[in-house]
Amino acid sequence: MNRSAQVTRRTKETDIEAALTLSGGEVAVDTGIGFFDHMMTALAFHAGWGLTLRARGDLRVDFHHTVEDCGIVLGQALRQALSQMPGIERFADTAVPMDEALALACLDVGGRPFLRFDAPMPQQKIGEYDACLTVEFWRAFVTHAGVTLHLSATGDNAHHITEAVFKAAARALRLALRETGRVVPSTKGVL
């Protein structure tokens, strides 16, 4: 089954188009934010997704609206793509080191949005990217995807911490979204 979705979001602040294929494919990301493009590419690659993401936002104001709205769009795309399949692994966890940084991700793709984010950033900026936007992306993503996600990380370098967080979440998503061929993974019979 081709688990895929396309989502467009246009507001006075952003114009975003995303095409997501959970079974893999080309990855092409252009948000106008270099470091964030790097994180979205890493997310798609380590999750095993095909992803085309194009975003135009009010970057002259700051990067917040673009990063948050990309989280909204990607969360909506994941939720749509998941509606096309009955049985997934659902739960997963993983740890990813990056030099001195270590990130842990535990998630439940069960339809209930919640984010616990414990990843202090020792530097406020990663290039021009505000390190505080990482939690904004994940909050928007889980809210619109219907995912419970616990992310924690330690380290001395905000770049390493952020990259480890994205890769840990991606690898956990890859495991949780594996098709099992079984019924819906819930004693309730629905997610």
Side-chain angles (χ1 to χ4, degrees), residues 1-5 19-26 44 47-52 77 81:
M1 184 180 296
N2 185 19
R3 304 175 301 159
S4 62
L20 174 66
T21 304
L22 299 182
S23 57
E26 179 186 350
W49 296 344
L51 175 64
T52 302

Side-chain angles (χ1 to χ4, degrees), residues 7-106:
V7 175
T8 300
R9 178 178 172 84
R10 289 188 176 88
T11 72
K12 291 180 180 180
E13 299 166 339
T14 62
D15 181 353
I16 301 172
E17 296 175 358
L20 174 66
T21 304
L22 299 182
S23 57
E26 179 186 350
V27 177
V29 176
D30 179 14
T31 67
I33 306 168
F35 181 75
F36 187 60
D37 288 354
H38 179 44
M39 293 303 94
M40 292 294 91
T41 300
L43 173 64
F45 178 84
H46 288 282
W49 296 344
L51 175 64
T52 302
L53 178 63
R54 187 199 63 78
R56 295 295 170 258
D58 56 357
L59 302 183
R60 69 194 177 287
V61 174
D62 69 8
F63 297 166
H64 186 280
H65 299 138
T66 301
V67 170
E68 182 178 46
D69 284 11
C70 283
I72 291 170
V73 167
L74 193 57
Q76 290 172 340
L78 178 61
R79 193 171 197 120
Q80 276 184 32
L82 288 174
S83 70
Q84 303 168 23
M85 54 192 257
I88 58 171
E89 194 64 39
R90 181 179 168 183
F91 299 100
D93 60 86
T94 190
V96 169
M98 183 164 185
D99 297 344
E100 89 298 340
L102 176 64
L104 308 171
C106 299

Side-chain angles (χ1 to χ4, degrees), residues 145-163:
V147 171
T148 293
L149 177 61
H150 289 250
L151 285 169
S152 62
T154 59
D156 301 321
N157 181 299
H159 182 134
H160 295 163
I161 293 167
T162 302
E163 192 160 345

Side-chain angles (χ1 to χ4, degrees), residues 134-157:
T134 300
V135 68
E136 300 301 331
F137 169 82
W138 287 110
R139 184 177 295 118
F141 174 80
V142 302
T143 299
H144 292 273
V147 171
T148 293
L149 177 61
H150 289 250
L151 285 169
S152 62
T154 59
D156 301 321
N157 181 299

